[in-house]
Structure formats: structure tokens, C-alpha cells
Amino acid sequence: MDEKVIQAHKKEYGEAPDVTAVAPGRFHLIGEHSWFFKDKTLSMAVNLPVYVSVSKRDDSNLRFYFVQFDDHKRGNLSSLKFRKEDKWANALKSIVYGFTSGGFDCCGMNFTICTDMLPSAGFGITTAIKIAAAWAVRELNGFRCKRDELIQVVERANKLYFGVTNHKADNFAPIFSKEGSLVLTDYSLNSCEVIPFPFDDKTIILTDARVPRITTWNEESLQQPENVLLLGELKERRSNIHGNWRYEENVAERNEVLSVVDEDTRRRLLCIINEHKYVLEALAGLEAKDFAQFAKAVNHSHENLRDGYDISCPEIDWILKRVMELDANPDDYRTPVNCGRITGKGFGRCTYSILRKDDVEKYKQKLGEYEKLFGFHPECYEVLPAEGVHLI
């Protein structure tokens, strides 16, 4: 793929790129909806790479080419504004703006994007474009800025160009990841940690169920300061667990603190509390190399999001129920050998499944049944935990 993007750049611009960077796609295993409450998110960067090649221009113009779309866009350093018609090129423009708005003096540039996984799939591809572009632009222009400053460039791109909130786990996963590992983002510490993924006897499958994304409720309605204060009352220090805190487990205490909110808000705040517990349980399983413990946390997390957060749908639930039925004894949920959960952009239309290798073909056969039953043609991808962003 790296040679493909280089050759595409040569063909498009008549010269080889000066710099090529690659960043991985990613998905979140547990905790992606609890960032606002300063909780934890467990993520995996995966080998769905995005390549960005860049070369210098002798003017202030910007040229953009996406190989798989065979699409071209234009821009200029003097007018870096979001334009709906620029579509995918806005990701690249935003990074250039992230530099210039921070006082960096960029040159005109030619960009080429190459990836077999398109942004619409929802596996962190747009973020990977931004991250790879940030590393490439820094190298091309000779900016002496460290990794933390590059993260700030990406954050300015999101906040100032797109006007959206930065979800640090989205950025940390493709930046800090290592092969064979997960990334734990701790929002309370504004930091991340690389966690080994010890289950190399399993196969990880991402499935795009192709269900149209429909937002069932406004998640921002939960993200209010008063709700942060309520959950803050239920946080307690514990030195013997990851991150040194957990939520209060006494049901009566939880109910008393949350009695001031309506039932929908209460249910969703309890979902946030439970998600943090499942992150901790998944981490304990990873550290003990106990797949059953890890898998139970994953499966419970999906049930939690389905029943408490209202973000699943019959199609997604059908797929994940089939994952559970691949177990030799699907009625015994104490020691699962497979697991899965909803994931993806916003309210998600994708799943991840972590399966015994012998169950992979059975799972794909079930997806054939899914298409006949629901009429959507799913796409699935076998992936591995991947290295973070780097230059070619």
C-alpha cells in the first residue's frame, strides 16, 4: 500500500512525495460514551492503515487527491474554512489549520490519501487521516514540535475547524498504540497507557452491519455539569484497582444520589457507572490473561448499552446473539469463549467480535443468514492490534 500511494502521488502531481505517513484505524472496546464524566476508555488501533503522502509546492495553494475515490479537491493557505462540498478533504484542511492557527508557517502542499477502508465505515478512518497528515506536515515543513504539540494541532483542528469536541481516546489510540496491545485512556488524568492484549489465539473481527445510523436520543442532553457533579459524588478512592478509584457500589447510595433526576437520565447515568466497572473488569482479565473474565466484561458492556443507553438495534443484537451461540455451551455465561459488542461512530452500526479461530467461518455463515433476514449486506474484516502512527 505504501508503494501504491507513492505511485499515485507521482501520477497525480508529476513528482514523488517528500513525506509519507501511515496511521491505523481504531475502535473502542468499552467506555467511549463516558469521556464527559472523566472516566476511562479502552481502545484498539488496528491494521486498517491510512497513508498520507505530501510534497511541497512553490506557492500557497493546497491540492488534495483521494486514490480510492479518484477525487480531487483544492484549497489555499489563506482561506482554510470548512466547506461541506470539500467532503473528505476537510480532514486534511483542518490539520493545516491546526498548524497555522497555532503559529506555524506552512508551505503550499500536495496531498494524497490512500486507504482500502473508507471513512464511512466508522472505524476511526477520518481520525487516522488527520493523525497521518499531522505527522507528515510536521516532517515536510521541518517543524520542531513534540508529540504533545502535535496532539494539540489535532485538537485545534477538531475544535476550531470542525467545531466539535475532542474525544482524546479517538486520538490517543492511533498515536500511542503498539502491536499486540490496547490503549487505555484515562480522562481524569488526561493520559493513556498501553495494555498488552494477550489473547493471540483469538481472531478479532470488525463487522459493518450496514444498518443506517439513526440517533435515538440526544447524547448531549446527558452531558450536563449537574450530571457530572452527581456522578462525582459517587466516585470513591480505591488504591487496589486500576486508576485508584471506582464508583460507589451500594445500590441504596446510588439511588439516593440519582433520585433528583428523571428516570431516563437516571438509567443512562447508571449505564455510565456500569461502563466504568466493565472497563476495570476487562483490564483485570487482560492482566490475568483470563479471557473468560475479559469476555464477560465485553458482553455485559453491550447489554448495558443496549438496555441502559438505548443505542443498539435488532440487527446488531441479532449478530451478537449469534456470537454467543457459537460457544460450545451458550447457556453457560460464566466462562465465555467468544465475545462481542456494538461499536462505531456515534450510535454505531458496527460490532466487534473476538472469537476462537475455529468459530470464524461459522460466524461468517451467520452473517449470510443476517443478510437474508434483514436485507443488509454486511462487511467483516479480520484485524490485529497495530502500531501507531509513523513515517514511511
Side-chain angles (χ1 to χ4, degrees):
M1 182 69 78
D2 53 342
E3 186 61 29
K4 182 176 181 179
V5 70
I6 291 170
Q7 293 303 319
H9 193 93
K10 286 181 179 179
K11 183 177 179 180
E12 179 69 16
Y13 302 111
E15 60 183 7
D18 297 309
V19 180
T20 298
V22 58
R26 59 102 187 98
F27 69 97
H28 301 304
L29 285 87
I30 306 178
E32 70 268 41
H33 294 279
S34 58
W35 65 270
F36 188 78
F37 300 94
K38 303 297 183 182
D39 290 359
K40 300 177 180 67
T41 302
L42 190 62
S43 312
M44 181 186 291
V46 292
N47 57 333
L48 301 175
V50 174
Y51 293 81
V52 176
S53 287
V54 191
S55 58
K56 283 187 177 182
R57 296 180 60 89
D58 57 8
D59 55 26
S60 62
N61 291 324
L62 302 169
R63 297 290 183 266
F64 310 106
Y65 177 49
F66 201 129
V67 175
Q68 281 69 23
F69 289 141
D70 193 23
D71 194 15
H72 311 75
K73 302 293 181 184
R74 294 170 174 262
N76 190 280
L77 291 170
S78 63
S79 57
L80 288 167
K81 295 181 180 180
F82 176 85
R83 299 197 318 161
K84 187 176 181 179
E85 58 268 30
D86 283 340
K87 300 179 181 177
W88 53 267
N90 281 304
L92 297 171
K93 289 171 61 181
S94 73
I95 290 300
V96 179
Y97 187 74
F99 279 104
T100 59
S101 61
F104 293 94
D105 187 14
C106 291
C107 63
M109 290 171 279
N110 296 320
F111 290 87
T112 300
I113 300 174
C114 189
T115 174
D116 287 335
M117 183 63 61
L118 300 182
S120 59
F123 297 130
I125 301 304
T126 298
T127 299
I129 292 172
K130 296 175 189 174
I131 299 296
W135 259 246
V137 169
R138 175 184 65 170
E139 182 72 11
L140 181 74
N141 288 273
F143 296 143
R144 295 187 176 182
C145 52
K146 297 182 179 179
R147 186 163 56 185
D148 287 348
E149 293 176 276
L150 282 179
I151 293 173
Q152 292 174 11
V153 166
V154 177
E155 291 179 343
R156 283 196 298 271
N158 289 329
K159 183 178 181 180
L160 301 180
Y161 186 89
F162 286 108
V164 299
T165 302
N166 278 285
H167 302 284
K168 291 188 180 296
D170 289 358
N171 299 333
F172 284 175
I175 291 174
F176 292 99
S177 64
K178 302 293 183 184
E179 289 186 8
S181 299
L182 305 176
V183 176
L184 175 70
T185 299
D186 190 329
Y187 284 91
S188 65
L189 300 176
N190 192 27
S191 65
C192 70
E193 179 181 354
V194 175
I195 307 290
F197 185 75
F199 310 122
D200 55 7
D201 59 329
K202 302 290 184 178
T203 298
I204 305 162
I205 297 183
L206 296 178
T207 301
D208 183 348
R210 296 295 180 90
V211 181
R213 291 190 183 96
I214 299 175
T215 300
T216 56
W217 59 281
N218 182 7
E219 193 170 11
E220 291 184 0
S221 66
L222 193 68
Q223 298 168 359
Q224 303 299 325
E226 55 267 31
N227 291 335
V228 174
L229 292 175
L230 286 175
L231 291 195
E233 292 182 40
L234 293 171
K235 291 182 178 181
E236 56 180 13
R237 303 295 298 179
R238 283 288 188 275
S239 60
N240 60 335
I241 60 176
H242 216 110
N244 297 323
W245 71 271
R246 71 177 186 186
Y247 282 108
E248 171 64 59
E249 295 186 343
N250 184 280
V251 175
E253 180 68 20
R254 289 182 180 183
N255 289 340
E256 181 178 350
V257 170
L258 299 180
S259 64
V260 297
V261 298
D262 62 77
E263 179 56 29
D264 282 344
T265 300
R266 174 184 171 279
R267 177 164 46 85
R268 289 161 184 163
L269 290 176
L270 284 173
C271 179
I272 296 295
I273 290 172
N274 288 333
E275 277 295 279
H276 187 261
K277 179 179 71 171
Y278 297 139
V279 170
L280 295 179
E281 290 177 356
L283 288 169
L286 291 165
E287 291 170 352
K289 299 182 179 179
D290 183 338
F291 182 80
Q293 183 177 6
F294 169 81
K296 282 190 290 185
V298 168
N299 293 336
H300 287 155
S301 175
H302 177 73
E303 295 165 2
N304 186 47
L305 293 178
R306 180 193 66 200
D307 301 334
Y309 221 64
D310 301 320
I311 66 171
S312 192
C313 62
E315 295 87 349
I316 292 291
D317 294 337
W318 187 93
I319 290 174
L320 293 174
K321 185 172 178 59
R322 303 292 85 76
V323 170
M324 299 304 101
E325 291 174 353
L326 294 173
D327 284 9
N329 183 10
D331 293 327
D332 184 2
Y333 295 108
R334 292 170 296 179
T335 56
V337 295
N338 298 311
C339 63
R341 178 186 179 275
I342 191 172
T343 191
K345 182 179 180 181
F347 278 60
R349 73 175 190 195
C350 305
T351 70
Y352 70 87
S353 305
I354 304 177
L355 308 176
R356 293 179 298 191
K357 295 186 185 299
D358 290 345
D359 286 332
V360 171
E361 288 306 315
K362 297 176 187 176
Y363 174 75
K364 292 179 179 179
Q365 290 172 11
K366 294 295 183 182
L367 291 183
E369 296 177 21
Y370 165 88
E371 183 172 1
K372 293 177 183 178
L373 183 61
F374 294 102
F376 300 115
H377 177 65
E379 294 285 347
C380 68
Y381 311 90
E382 295 185 27
V383 298
L384 295 169
E387 180 184 358
V389 59
H390 56 280
L391 299 177
I392 299 298

